[in-house]
C-alpha cells in the first residue's frame, strides 16, 4: 500500500512564527532598555506590590498557587505523565516529542536568563523571594509550553465538544493565572511574563509541527499501528488538512 503523503503543519508553524517573533520583539525592547516598556513594567509592579502588602490573605493564596499548583515542576510532571500515556498506547513519536520539548523549554529559559541578565524587582518589604535572572519568567514559559502542549495532546487524543472547550478554558486560565501570580508576589516584571508566555507557546507550536511532520514516518508506532485510519494519527485530521494547535 502506498504511504500517505507527508502532512504539512501549516497552522502550528504560523503560530510558532507569530509568537516567536513577538517574544523576540519584547526581548529586544528589554535589552535596549526601551523607556515606555520599562515605565509600564514599573507601574504594574508597584501597583500590584502595594496590593499584595495591603492584602496578606490574598497574597498567601497567590503564593500557594505559584509555588505549588502552577509550579514548573508540577507542569513538567504532567507533561512527563502525558508522554508516558502516549508511549503506553503505542505512540512513540508523540511521547518523544513531548519529552524533548519539556527538556528544551528548561534549557531555553535558562539560556535566555543568562544572556539577558535582568534584575528582578527589589522591594523594601518583599512578600516573596526568587533567585536568578528575571527575564523571561520561567514559571510563565513553562506554564505556556505545558498548557499548550497538553491542549494539543487532548486534541491529538480525539477530544471534542465540551471536553475540548474545557481543556481550552483550563489552559487559558492557567497561563493567565501563572503570569498574574508572579507579578502579584513581586518577583517579575510584566514583560518577563509576556515574553515567557510567548516563547512557551512558540516552542509548543514547533513541537506540534515537528510531531506532525515526523508522524507519517513513525506511523507504525502511532494509533494507526493498532488498526486505525492513518488519517487519525494526528488527532483526526485528514492528511491534507493542517493540524491545529
Amino acid at each position: 500500500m502506498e504511504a500517505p503523503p507527508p502532512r504539512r503543519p501549516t497552522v502550528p508553524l504560523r503560530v510558532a512564527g507569530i509568537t516567536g517573533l513577538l517574544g523576540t520583539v519584547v526581548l529586544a525592547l528589554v535589552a535596549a532598555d526601551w523607556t515606555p516598556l520599562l515605565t509600564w513594567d514599573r507601574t504594574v509592579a508597584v501597583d500590584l506590590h502595594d496590593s499584595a502588602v495591603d492584602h496578606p490573605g490574598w497574597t498567601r493564596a497567590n503564593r500557594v498557587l505559584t509555588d505549588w499548583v502552577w509550579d514548573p515542576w508540577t507542569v513538567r510532571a504532567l507533561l512527563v505523565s502525558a508522554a508516558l500515556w502516549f508511549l503506553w498506547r503505542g505512540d512513540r513519536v508523540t511521547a518523544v516529542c513531548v519529552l524533548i520539548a519539556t527538556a528544551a523549554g528548561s534549557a531555553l529559559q535558562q539560556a535566555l536568563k543568562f544572556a539577558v541578565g535582568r534584575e528582578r524587582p527589589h522591594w523594601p518589604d518583599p512578600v516573596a523571594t526568587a533567585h536568578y535572572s528575571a527575564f523571561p519568567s520561567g514559571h510563565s514559559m513553562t506554564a505556556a509550553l505545558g498548557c499548550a502542549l497538553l491542549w494539543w495532546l487532548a486534541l491529538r487524543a480525539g477530544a471534542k465538544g465540551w471536553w475540548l472547550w474545557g481543556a481550552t478554558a483550563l489552559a487559558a486560565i492557567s497561563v493567565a493565572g501563572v503570569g498574574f501570580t508572579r507579578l502579584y508576589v513581586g518577583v517579575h516584571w510584566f514583560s518577563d511574563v509576556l515574553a515567557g508566555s510567548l516563547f512557551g507557546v512558540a516552542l509548543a507550536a514547533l513541537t506540534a509541527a515537528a510531531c506532525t511532520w515526523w508522524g507519517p514516518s513513525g506511523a507504525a508506532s502511532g494509533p494507526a499501528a493498532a488498526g486505525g485510519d492513518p488519517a487519525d494519527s494526528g488527532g483526526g485530521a485528514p492528511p491534507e488538512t493542517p493540524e491545529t494547535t
Side-chain angles (χ1 to χ4, degrees), residues 40-240:
W40 172 253
D41 279 344
R42 185 68 185 174
T43 299
V44 172
V46 170
D47 288 347
L48 289 179
H49 179 70
D50 289 345
S51 176
V53 171
D54 293 340
H55 303 89
W58 181 232
T59 301
R60 283 192 295 271
N62 276 269
R63 291 200 60 179
V64 170
L65 289 172
T66 196
D67 292 338
W68 295 98
V69 178
W70 288 319
D71 182 76
W73 286 107
T74 303
V75 178
R76 292 177 188 132
L78 290 174
L79 288 173
V80 171
S81 298
L84 292 176
W85 184 79
F86 273 88
L87 183 63
W88 172 77
R89 71 194 290 254
D91 191 347
R92 291 191 297 273
V93 170
T94 300
V96 171
C97 284
V98 171
L99 292 175
I100 291 176
T102 302
S106 299
L108 178 59
Q109 66 176 259
Q110 294 304 315
L112 288 172
K113 283 178 179 289
F114 177 79
V116 177
R118 189 184 200 186
E119 291 190 2
R120 295 178 184 269
H122 293 288
W123 309 107
D125 49 354
V127 300
T129 59
H131 306 287
Y132 203 35
S133 300
F135 186 95
S137 166
H139 277 68
S140 293
M141 186 169 174
T142 303
L145 171 64
C147 289
L149 278 179
L150 290 170
W151 179 88
W152 170 70
L153 290 174
L155 186 67
R156 195 166 175 86
K160 298 178 182 178
W162 287 109
W163 286 103
L164 188 57
W165 278 107
T168 303
L170 183 59
I173 291 171
S174 295
V175 173
V178 168
F180 178 81
T181 60
R182 301 309 285 167
L183 293 172
Y184 197 83
V185 300
V187 295
H188 275 294
W189 307 104
F190 176 83
S191 52
D192 301 338
V193 168
L194 177 60
S197 299
L198 289 169
F199 285 132
V201 172
L203 183 54
L206 280 177
T207 302
C211 194
T212 302
W213 239 319
W214 187 16
S217 63
S221 64
D229 188 334
D232 290 336
S233 62
E240 69 273 15

Side-chain angles (χ1 to χ4, degrees), residues 22-49:
L22 291 175
T24 302
V25 169
V26 177
L27 168 61
L29 294 176
V30 169
D33 293 331
W34 192 51
T35 301
L37 179 61
L38 300 185
T39 301
W40 172 253
D41 279 344
R42 185 68 185 174
T43 299
V44 172
V46 170
D47 288 347
L48 289 179
H49 179 70

